[in-house]
Amino acid sequence: MSLVRQLLVPVLVGAVVLGGCSHGAPDDPDLPVGPISGRLDAQYRGNLTAQVTAAIETDVATCMADAGFGYTPTTQTYDADLPAWGSPQFATTYGYAITTWRDMPHPAVPGTAVLDEAYRQALWGPDVGEAGPEATWQPAGCYGQVLAAMDLAGSTVVRDVNDLAAQASTDDRVVAAVAGWATCMAGKGYPYATPDDARTAIVAKTYSADGTPLAGAALDALRAEEIATAVADNLCATDLVWARASVLAELETTYYAAHKADVDALFTRLEELLDR
């Protein structure tokens, strides 16, 4: 199982709850924010993510027990002193949280250790294979069953709001900002066209040519490269962060006006989960 998939699992609930916010930037009260992201952010600060995660984890543990496996639920609660994701402080310490994931102050995440294949498939479902784009992987297994039962994994609103980021990427303001980011990064010695390219390059290097995970000095060197890249990325991203936030806020405003009932229904569903 690739590191990409390992990282997707623990952030899945955050993506479901935060929707388009997950495409945003470091926590900055001055950034433009749309009506959906603003509402979700307020819910998140009210510990909604932790409570929904706890509900999901409880049901996953039951599902795994029914399948004959032991499973210890995790609340995915991070240390209060952890820097905000995407902030300069986070980049300096943890880079993109790829090679540094296990260094972060959080509970043990099921699946980051080497696990029996039958256990992995029971928990997440089968691997997508080499031909499948892992960035679009969705959980099957017990995670998939639980999310489907909670009407979260297939939420039209979640998909639509996440899709707004793709729409934003084609806006002329964002395209120009990405080009500026690339020029800035090239000047620092990093020949990447987009921020995604920078992160993907680090992920690709976590395995050696023969497919074995990096370890020892090689992993330490990659960790240093990851942090240096993330720091440069953060310094070069100021204009891009603002451009993307401005465009997303506009897109959300338009979407919410057309789909207010559906968005409100999603919030109602999330609140119902907390009352179980």
Side-chain angles (χ1 to χ4, degrees):
M1 179 175 54
S2 76
L3 180 63
V4 176
R5 181 170 171 182
Q6 289 184 18
L7 294 176
L8 280 172
V9 173
V11 303
L12 173 65
V13 176
V16 168
V17 175
L18 295 179
C21 295
S22 62
H23 301 289
D27 189 10
D28 184 344
D30 295 326
L31 284 176
V33 61
I36 302 173
S37 293
R39 186 174 174 183
L40 285 164
D41 188 57
Q43 293 270 11
Y44 175 70
R45 292 179 188 282
N47 210 29
L48 175 64
T49 297
Q51 294 179 70
V52 173
T53 299
I56 291 173
E57 287 289 309
T58 297
D59 288 355
V60 167
T62 300
C63 174
M64 289 293 284
D66 291 343
F69 296 98
Y71 178 82
T72 302
T74 175
T75 59
Q76 299 297 332
T77 301
Y78 291 94
D79 189 287
D81 295 329
L82 184 68
W85 286 68
S87 67
Q89 295 78 13
F90 189 95
T92 299
T93 306
Y94 300 110
Y96 296 120
I98 298 171
T99 64
T100 62
W101 176 258
R102 293 172 183 80
D103 301 332
M104 294 169 61
H106 57 67
V109 179
T112 55
V114 176
L115 300 175
D116 178 78
E117 179 62 24
Y119 182 97
R120 289 201 301 264
Q121 291 206 18
L123 186 59
W124 299 311
D127 286 319
V128 296
E130 292 299 325
E134 291 202 299
T136 62
W137 174 81
Q138 293 294 318
C142 284
Y143 266 112
Q145 291 177 38
V146 169
L147 289 170
M150 290 182 171
D151 294 330
L152 292 180
S155 168
T156 300
V157 173
V158 170
R159 291 198 306 270
D160 289 348
V161 172
N162 279 312
D163 285 347
L164 295 182
Q167 296 179 40
S169 68
T170 64
D171 185 278
D172 289 345
R173 290 165 290 180
V174 174
V175 170
V178 169
W181 176 92
T183 298
C184 176
M185 288 291 282
K188 296 179 183 298
Y190 299 97
Y192 300 117
T194 71
D196 283 344
D197 289 345
R199 290 186 289 268
T200 299
I202 299 298
V203 171
K205 294 178 181 180
T206 58
Y207 287 84
S208 62
D210 63 3
T212 58
L214 292 188
L219 181 59
D220 290 341
L222 181 60
R223 181 182 289 111
E225 179 183 347
E226 175 187 349
I227 290 174
T229 304
V231 168
D233 180 348
N234 193 278
L235 290 171
C236 290
T238 302
D239 291 344
L240 177 56
V241 165
W242 274 90
R244 183 177 290 140
S246 299
V247 174
L248 282 173
E250 293 173 7
L251 291 172
E252 278 192 21
T253 299
T254 300
Y255 180 86
Y256 186 64
H259 302 278
K260 182 178 184 300
D262 293 333
V263 173
D264 290 345
L266 174 62
F267 281 105
T268 297
R269 178 60 183 146
L270 291 171
E271 290 163 2
E272 290 172 352
L273 290 177
L274 305 185
D275 295 332
R276 295 192 327 167

